[in-house]
């Protein structure tokens, strides 16, 4: 090639470029590292000063009207018991990702026996647990993303709603920062208050609701933290549970100062279910210690797809009989950490229908019809996966003798190898979806649920 009358030799030029390439890559890497560090430092400063995050949405007056009432300036008159539609999000829903579930609500639920399973409350709670994920999109500063949680709770008659904990736990930069600061064991959650219709002449009663979000971003790592606190509770969930428990007590004391008795409802899916399980157990322990001096009364806890949370030997004691843990037998997450290693959940385990029941095909067909109408697509969960999940868990239990062995390089490699051998993670995930749990709970009643033994005691 001729350039200004001279011949440019490609060989020497290429060699000079290659010699400089390592320096260029190093400079680029340093630049990226410096910029990333600057972004994280700036975000940390914003978090400490309460700046730079999406502001919490208010309650939309249109959703706060009583069912079927026109929007008006008057105080809505809402019945104590009613049915309504709640909109949440599902990973497989088309278009904007929204799905709709029909639920019941009854203020009288929260003065009834907390230890008696309430299937209507369970179905409504499954939707409230799914809404904990939906709220994340609003705090990612997506202008077209509605505040699903606030809208749903307003339609159920809640007058106070706080989703403040999402503000620095929803963006990608927040998840990276949590890794850098070691804060990945926290969790976003909603806490809300409703003054219940307690009937003529009955004392005022407030309901305090908590819906804990499941695994999100770097929080996945906390599921693998098998350290334990002094009571034997799962180290990856304890920190978030204690934060939420303290907030519940604070809200309860505020209600009591206003002259109201207090009931508490705790819900969560997956990691959120595990956290709700530990919060409920903590509140039960507090009540047992405080007796009549406790600032709150009945505690209703409904968890969905919750991993095991504790090694405590008394986790199934009568004290925790108000905690109901609902699992899909074909969902692998509730099996982990394995019961063969001593892990369990506080309270009562209940199972959705599984293959082998005489009426399973009919129930499965009804569930899929509800799913299709609610989510807008066919349900991809396969109930036959329960057989695969059981074999995988049995093989892991036989090869890895304890949680302590699991966290060794050899134990972790063995467990991952066996999981990869048996389980297609994408396929099994469909059985874990909140929308799958919601659809199942919409078509069955308490008599059609298992007792936890249907998952097999590994």
């Amino acid at each position: 090639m001729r350039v200004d009358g001279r011949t440019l030799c490609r060989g020497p030029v290429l060699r000079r470029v290659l010699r400089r390439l390592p320096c260029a890559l190093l400079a680029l890497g340093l630049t990226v590292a410096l910029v990333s560090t600057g972004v994280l430092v700036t975000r940390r400063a914003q978090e400490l000063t309460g700046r730079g995050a999406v502001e919490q949405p208010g309650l939309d007056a249109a959703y706060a009207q009583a069912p079927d009432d026109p929007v008006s300036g008057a105080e809505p008159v809402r019945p104590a018991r009613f049915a309504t539609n709640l909109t949440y999000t599902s990973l497989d829903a088309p278009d904007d990702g929204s799905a709709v579930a029909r639920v019941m609500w009854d203020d009288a639920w929260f003065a009834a026996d907390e230890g008696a399973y309430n299937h209507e409350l369970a179905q409504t709670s499954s939707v409230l647990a799914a809404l904990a994920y939906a709220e994340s999109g609003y705090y990612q500063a997506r202008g077209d993303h509605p505040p699903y949680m606030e809208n749903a709770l307003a339609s159920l008659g809640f007058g106070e709603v706080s989703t403040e904990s999402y503000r620095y736990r929803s963006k990608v930069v927040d998840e990276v920062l949590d890794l850098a600061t070691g804060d990945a064991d926290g969790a976003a959650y909603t806490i809300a208050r409703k003054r219940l219709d307690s009937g003529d002449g009955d004392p005022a009663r407030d309901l305090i609701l908590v819906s804990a979000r499941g695994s999100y971003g770097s929080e996945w790592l906390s599921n693998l933290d098998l350290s334990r606190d002094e009571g034997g509770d799962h180290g990856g969930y304890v920190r978030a549970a204690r934060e939420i428990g303290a907030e519940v007590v604070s809200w309860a004391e505020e209600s009591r100062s206003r002259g109201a008795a207090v009931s508490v409802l705790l819900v969560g899916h997956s990691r959120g279910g595990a956290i709700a399980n530990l919060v409920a157990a903590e509140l039960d322990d507090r009540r047992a210690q405080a007796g009549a001096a406790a600032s709150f009364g009945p505690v209703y806890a409904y968890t969905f797809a919750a991993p095991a949370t504790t090694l405590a030997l008394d986790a199934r004691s009568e004290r925790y009989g108000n905690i109901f843990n609902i699992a899909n037998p074909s969902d692998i997450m509730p099996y982990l950490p394995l019961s063969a290693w001593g892990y369990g959940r506080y309270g009562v385990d209940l199972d959705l229908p599984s293959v082998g029941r005489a009426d399973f095909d009919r129930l499965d067909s009804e569930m899929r019809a509800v799913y299709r109408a609610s989510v807008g697509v066919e349900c991809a969960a396969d109930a036959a996966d329960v057989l695969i999940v059981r074999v995988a868990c049995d093989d892991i239990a036989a090869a890895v003798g304890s949680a302590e062995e699991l966290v060794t390089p050899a134990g972790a490699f063995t467990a991952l190898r066996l999981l990869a051998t048996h389980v297609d993670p994408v396929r099994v995930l469909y059985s874990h979806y909140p929308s799958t749990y919601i659809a199942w709970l919409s078509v069955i009643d308490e008599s059609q649920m298992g007792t936890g033994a249907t998952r097999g005691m590994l």
Side-chain angles (χ1 to χ4, degrees):
M1 178 183 293
R2 289 278 179 179
V3 180
D4 296 332
R6 292 174 296 171
T7 300
L8 181 62
C9 179
R10 290 192 181 95
V13 172
L14 181 59
R15 284 193 292 273
R16 285 196 297 272
V17 171
L18 291 176
R19 282 197 299 269
R20 295 174 182 173
L21 185 59
C23 293
L25 291 175
L26 178 60
L28 178 61
L30 289 173
T31 301
V32 171
L34 288 172
V35 170
S36 300
T37 300
V39 170
L40 294 178
V41 169
T42 300
R43 187 60 172 175
R44 181 62 171 171
Q46 290 176 339
E47 182 178 354
L48 293 174
T49 57
R51 297 180 295 105
V54 175
E55 294 298 325
Q56 177 179 303
L59 295 178
D60 190 327
Y63 289 90
Q65 304 304 308
D68 303 324
D69 277 1
V71 176
S72 68
E75 185 74 15
V77 179
R78 185 180 303 276
R81 179 177 173 85
F82 59 90
T84 190
N85 291 331
L86 298 184
T87 303
Y88 65 101
T89 56
S90 179
L91 288 173
D92 58 340
D95 302 325
D96 63 353
S98 64
V100 178
R102 186 73 171 172
V103 303
M104 288 299 303
W105 184 268
D106 192 337
D107 284 357
W109 289 340
F110 305 102
D113 180 7
E114 63 188 347
Y117 174 78
N118 181 332
H119 190 74
E120 285 184 334
L121 177 54
Q123 197 268 333
T124 299
S125 295
S126 70
V127 182
L128 293 173
L131 282 160
Y133 296 103
E135 187 70 5
S136 303
Y138 179 86
Y139 282 93
Q140 291 167 358
R142 289 174 53 186
D144 60 343
H145 198 287
Y148 287 104
M149 181 66 84
E150 281 81 0
N151 292 348
L153 293 183
S155 73
L156 295 178
F158 284 81
E160 298 174 70
V161 178
S162 174
T163 53
E164 181 75 14
S165 66
Y166 282 81
R167 295 185 69 224
Y168 298 100
R169 287 172 171 155
S170 297
K171 290 188 174 182
V172 173
V173 65
D174 296 322
E175 297 305 309
V176 175
L177 181 60
D178 285 346
L179 282 175
T181 60
D183 289 339
D185 286 344
Y189 60 93
T190 296
I191 186 165
R193 178 167 23 224
K194 178 183 181 181
R195 177 57 58 90
L196 300 173
D197 181 352
S198 53
D200 294 338
D202 292 333
R205 177 171 292 275
D206 283 350
L207 172 66
I208 295 174
L209 160 72
V210 170
S211 178
R213 186 178 68 186
S215 299
Y216 186 87
S218 62
E219 294 168 6
W220 273 98
L221 295 176
S222 68
N223 298 334
L224 306 177
D225 177 7
L226 296 183
S227 64
R228 66 198 72 161
D229 72 354
E230 61 278 4
D233 294 341
H234 190 298
Y237 309 137
V238 165
R239 177 187 168 192
R242 288 176 177 167
E243 175 185 338
I244 293 172
E247 191 76 355
V248 170
V249 171
S250 176
W251 279 54
E253 290 174 347
E254 184 177 3
S255 287
R256 287 292 294 270
S257 71
R258 299 174 181 174
V262 176
S263 296
V264 178
L265 173 62
L266 301 164
V267 304
H269 173 270
S270 192
R271 180 173 181 265
I275 292 168
N277 182 269
L278 291 182
V279 176
E282 177 191 346
L283 295 181
D284 287 343
D285 291 341
R286 282 177 176 262
R287 278 193 305 169
Q289 294 168 4
S295 58
F296 51 89
V299 175
Y300 307 82
Y302 289 81
T303 80
F304 308 89
T309 58
T310 187
L311 293 167
L313 298 178
D314 65 344
R316 301 300 177 128
S317 70
E318 185 178 352
R319 176 187 297 182
Y320 308 116
N322 58 327
I323 306 171
F324 298 98
N325 309 299
I326 297 171
N328 184 351
S330 58
D331 176 4
I332 195 170
M333 289 306 297
Y335 295 84
L336 305 175
L338 301 179
S339 60
W341 300 334
Y343 280 90
R345 280 166 287 273
Y346 289 99
V348 180
D349 283 356
L350 297 172
D351 278 351
L352 300 177
S354 183
V355 291
R357 288 177 55 106
D359 58 350
F360 179 77
D361 288 344
R362 175 183 63 82
L363 293 174
D364 186 63
S365 177
E366 292 176 1
M367 180 277 290
R368 293 178 186 280
V370 169
Y371 194 101
R372 189 184 313 116
S374 173
V375 183
V377 295
E378 296 294 332
C379 178
D382 188 341
D385 285 346
V386 63
L387 306 175
I388 298 172
V389 167
R390 285 177 179 170
V391 169
C393 292
D394 284 341
D395 285 355
I396 293 172
V400 182
S402 66
E404 289 76 14
E405 184 179 347
L406 176 68
V407 298
T408 66
F413 174 79
T414 299
L416 289 173
R417 176 178 58 80
L418 291 171
L419 277 175
T421 300
H422 294 291
V423 177
D424 178 345
V426 175
R427 172 175 161 169
V428 172
L429 186 62
Y430 293 118
S431 293
H432 186 63
Y433 278 5
S435 45
T436 301
Y437 281 76
I438 291 168
W440 267 119
L441 289 165
S442 298
V443 301
I444 63 173
D445 58 35
E446 180 182 1
S447 68
Q448 294 163 320
M449 300 183 74
T451 61
T454 51
R455 260 175 287 137
M457 299 308 292
L458 302 173

